């Protein structure tokens, strides 16, 4: 519910503020030639993007210890007699 700021370009206005916590783009708009949606992304070297990547790698590192058990369960189900477990 943040107020929409004034656009510094005369004759133009901002469309609105979007709060989406599951995306990494900063801004989006519809371009007027092909009607495609365009995005402004964080640079790969930005601190914010780097922090998100670091959290992702740390989670992968923690989950790594579960791979052998998942693999055993998966392979065991492939050899099951029931069709439901095989799938």
């Amino acid at each position: 519910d943040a107020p929409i700021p004034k656009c510094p370009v005369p004759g133009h206005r901002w469309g609105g503020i979007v709060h989406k916590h599951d995306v990494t783009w900063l801004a989006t708009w519809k371009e007027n030639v092909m009607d495609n949606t365009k995005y402004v992304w964080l640079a790969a070297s930005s601190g914010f993007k780097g922090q998100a990547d670091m959290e992702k790698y740390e989670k992968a590192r923690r989950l790594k210890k579960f791979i052998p058990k998942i693999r055993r369960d998966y392979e065991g189900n492939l050899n099951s007699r029931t069709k439901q477990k095989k799938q």
Side-chain angles (χ1 to χ4, degrees), residues 17-28 37-42 48-49 52:
I17 295 175
V18 178
H19 295 280
K20 294 189 85 159
H21 300 285
D22 59 340
V23 299
T24 57
W25 47 262
L26 298 175
T28 182
T37 303
K38 300 290 186 173
Y39 299 94
V40 176
W41 301 90
L42 290 167
F48 183 77
K49 176 82 170 146

Side-chain angles (χ1 to χ4, degrees), residues 40-84:
V40 176
W41 301 90
L42 290 167
S45 60
S46 76
F48 183 77
K49 176 82 170 146
Q51 180 64 32
D53 287 346
M54 185 62 80
E55 290 171 5
K56 183 171 44 177
Y57 298 136
E58 285 301 318
K59 185 172 188 174
R61 188 173 296 139
R62 287 192 312 271
L63 293 174
K64 180 181 177 182
K65 63 183 175 186
F66 296 101
I67 291 174
K69 182 188 181 320
I70 293 169
R71 189 169 284 140
R72 277 194 309 273
D73 291 348
Y74 183 81
E75 289 172 352
N77 287 340
L78 284 176
N79 296 325
S80 175
R81 292 180 187 212
T82 64
K83 193 174 190 179
Q84 185 177 6

